[in-house]
Amino acid sequence: MSLPRRTLLTSIAAGATTVALGSRAAQAQPSTASGTGTRTDPVIVASAPSGRMAFFPDMIKLHDGRLLVGYRDSVSHIAQDGRILVVESSDRGRTWSEPRVAVDTAIDDRDPKLVQLRDGTILMNFFRTDWTGYPSQNPATLVGTFVVRSTDGGATWSEPVQVGTAMSGPSDVIVGAYYAGHAATHGPIVELPDGDLLVPLYGRLPEGGSGPATVVRSTDGGRTWPKEGEAFIGRTAGLDYQEPNLSVLRDGTLLSILRTSRNLAYLSWSDDGGRSWSAPVDSGLPASSHHQLSLRGGPILFTYGDPSGKINAGRPTLGRVLRHPERGIGDEREILIYDAAINGAPTFDQANPSSVALDPDRFFTVTSDPYLKSIVGVYTSLEQYSGRG
């Protein structure tokens, strides 16, 4: 779907099809360092300007060693003016560049997710919501999931391409805050050993009913995402699957961990490259808005918001290392990474973590803090997850 684009930078001519973001030297000017990177003194990765807030970060470590973070900048969690900004760090997360715009259309652009392919191309998937008339006149319209690409390390970004899916389509059915017939995304694209790409989706079919989770395949490097390449991870009556994430395991099996309407993480596996999936099973772990980072040797660093209430009434960010992800989630040691309640009352409007491995035994995780109106970062070590740190 083609949508009008706001002017991204004053130097960009109207109608440009690629967003110019300036020279890398200009982009890389570091912001003032703040915080030591502990859960009580986090690094400030990006701060929103006055009257705005920073949400939903995602982070990758680029081939050249830089860290790249994308996040949503808006006046509130629900607002038409949401846009996607990016920042970068060349010193392992200690200092960060000034934000620059990656995507900004006339409606709400949100939940950016990043991946760098083996050829160096960076892909960002995100979804768009039109809040016009909501909630006084009509439900919101979730327009769909889109992908943009950068071939110059994040300096410029292509025009968005929409992901095809059976979930998209006109509908008069209302489910919660939205019209049915929509697909969102909350997990990064994964590149398979054969070069195919999978983007995870969740949403609602036009006829309504329970919310499925799917993957859509691209065979041309992410330039197109035909709905004919879609496979269902799960659809179960009375249960909504949400925010699927994907990992490629050591033997080539795919693991998807899914948030659900029960606030429990479910798991599904595929042994044929994502063309079919096992029936999702309940892990028993309360978790939402999670991230899966594949580590050297096969484990997964699993970070997530904790909705259980065992720490407080909010949703702090926890983490654990899944040493045998082929077996699912077990009794691994769980650590508190960050809780915005150090700056205010317990809140659910946090988490959405994302992590990178700086070294095989040292990690950096970003999350959001609504009180600081910032994206914040915390360092952790493998020893902490094993109980020796």
Side-chain angles (χ1 to χ4, degrees), residues 167-320:
M167 288 183 278
S168 291
S171 177
D172 294 325
V173 177
I174 299 172
V175 182
Y178 300 95
Y179 286 110
H182 62 255
T185 188
H186 193 80
I189 293 163
V190 296
E191 185 175 20
L192 303 183
D194 65 1
D196 283 2
L197 307 176
L198 298 178
V199 60
L201 304 179
Y202 69 102
R204 198 78 57 172
L205 292 162
E207 63 268 28
S210 60
T214 74
V215 292
V216 178
R217 183 179 305 271
S218 174
T219 59
D220 59 5
R223 292 172 178 82
T224 62
W225 300 87
K227 68 178 181 180
E228 292 77 16
E230 186 170 34
F232 279 74
I233 299 174
R235 188 184 184 198
T236 302
L239 180 65
D240 294 336
Y241 295 113
Q242 304 159 338
E243 302 178 347
N245 275 242
L246 307 173
S247 297
V248 181
L249 304 185
R250 282 171 288 197
D251 63 356
T253 300
L254 293 171
L255 166 66
S256 178
I257 303 179
L258 308 101
R259 179 181 181 175
T260 67
S261 52
R262 295 180 60 199
N263 270 332
L264 295 171
Y266 276 56
L267 296 91
S268 176
W269 289 264
S270 172
D271 60 8
D272 60 3
R275 292 176 174 84
S276 63
W277 292 82
S278 64
V281 295
D282 182 0
S283 72
L285 177 70
S288 64
S289 300
H290 56 278
H291 181 259
Q292 300 166 210
L293 175 68
S294 295
L295 304 180
R296 188 172 69 178
I300 290 174
L301 175 58
F302 180 54
T303 51
Y304 49 94
D306 172 33
S308 71
K310 65 187 176 187
I311 294 177
N312 56 42
R315 191 175 64 160
T317 296
L318 306 184
R320 59 175 66 199

Side-chain angles (χ1 to χ4, degrees), residues 7-14 16 18-21:
T7 301
L8 300 184
L9 292 176
T10 57
S11 61
I12 302 177
T18 301
V19 182
L21 297 171

Side-chain angles (χ1 to χ4, degrees), residues 54-57 317 338 340 349-353 366-370 374-376:
F55 301 92
F56 316 137
T317 296
Y338 188 74
D349 203 8
Q350 59 172 318
N352 299 282
V366 293
T367 183
S368 59
D369 187 318
S374 298
I375 305 303
V376 299

Side-chain angles (χ1 to χ4, degrees), residues 49 52 66 71 104 120 132 142 152 188 193 195 201 211-212 217-218 233 239 272 299 326 350 385-386:
R52 300 182 71 84
R66 287 180 297 140
Y71 64 98
D104 188 6
T132 302
L142 203 160
D152 54 12
L201 304 179
R217 183 179 305 271
S218 174
I233 299 174
L239 180 65
D272 60 3
E326 68 279 1
Q350 59 172 318
Y385 292 100
S386 64

Side-chain angles (χ1 to χ4, degrees), residues 8-137:
L8 300 184
L9 292 176
T10 57
S11 61
I12 302 177
T17 57
T18 301
V19 182
L21 297 171
S23 68
R24 179 160 298 167
Q27 297 165 12
Q29 294 298 317
S31 60
T32 302
S34 61
T36 57
T38 67
R39 62 183 174 89
T40 57
D41 185 30
V43 173
I44 304 299
V45 173
S47 292
S50 178
R52 300 182 71 84
M53 301 181 73
F55 301 92
F56 316 137
D58 195 59
M59 175 173 55
I60 54 172
K61 183 179 179 181
L62 300 177
H63 296 169
D64 62 10
R66 287 180 297 140
L67 306 185
L68 182 69
V69 169
Y71 64 98
R72 176 178 176 266
D73 169 89
S74 177
V75 296
S76 67
H77 192 110
I78 294 176
Q80 192 79 327
D81 70 342
R83 60 181 183 168
I84 296 172
L85 307 183
V86 293
V87 293
E88 67 181 59
S89 173
S90 299
D91 57 8
R92 297 164 63 90
R94 289 186 289 272
T95 60
W96 292 83
S97 67
E98 291 300 315
R100 57 188 189 266
V101 178
V103 179
D104 188 6
T105 70
I107 61 174
D108 183 14
D109 307 304
R110 55 195 296 131
D111 281 44
K113 298 298 171 182
L114 296 161
V115 67
Q116 187 171 33
L117 306 181
R118 289 188 287 270
D119 69 1
T121 301
I122 301 170
L123 300 181
M124 178 195 294
N125 52 302
F126 63 98
F127 69 94
R128 291 172 168 168
T129 302
D130 187 349
W131 300 101
T132 302
Y134 175 84
S136 60
Q137 301 174 31

